Amino acid sequence: MAEVSVRLRAMRDCEAEEVRLQPGDFAGVQISRPSVNHPNGQKVEYVLHTVAPVRQGDAVVTEGKTLNVTALVENGTIAVVDRFSE
């Protein structure tokens, strides 16, 4: 399994795992692992790191979230704009 830090860009308003994302740049990770069931023998997934408002009782606080955005990258809603080697 290989992990590479990436910069992801939401091209328009979208939602991942019930978290709304506005257009802009986000830090993320590209995860590649061998898989005989995927093209080129590699399964590639993308996760995005952000903060999101979460209700706790009567208060709304921000909480760090790691969201799987692979489907949004595949359909072009989110673009991979940079890859950073470790």
Side-chain angles (χ1 to χ4, degrees), residues 2-3 6 14 18 21 50 56 59 64 66-67 69 71 80 82 84-85:
E3 294 186 9
V6 294
C14 56
E18 300 181 8
L21 301 171
T50 190
Q56 291 184 350
T66 300
L67 310 171
V69 294
V80 179
D82 284 316
F84 307 99
S85 54

Side-chain angles (χ1 to χ4, degrees), residues 4-66:
V4 176
S5 295
V6 294
R7 182 164 49 112
L8 301 168
R9 180 171 293 149
M11 307 307 279
R12 59 183 180 269
D13 287 336
C14 56
E15 187 172 300
E17 299 180 28
E18 300 181 8
V19 174
R20 293 191 57 82
L21 301 171
Q22 295 182 340
D25 290 357
F26 298 88
V29 177
Q30 173 186 303
I31 304 167
S32 302
R33 64 187 73 167
S35 173
V36 296
N37 298 321
H38 287 83
N40 301 322
Q42 290 286 319
K43 179 178 182 180
V44 179
E45 296 181 329
Y46 294 91
V47 295
L48 176 147
H49 306 299
T50 190
V51 293
V54 176
R55 180 167 294 283
Q56 291 184 350
D58 293 333
V60 176
V61 298
T62 57
E63 180 178 278
K65 296 280 187 179
T66 300

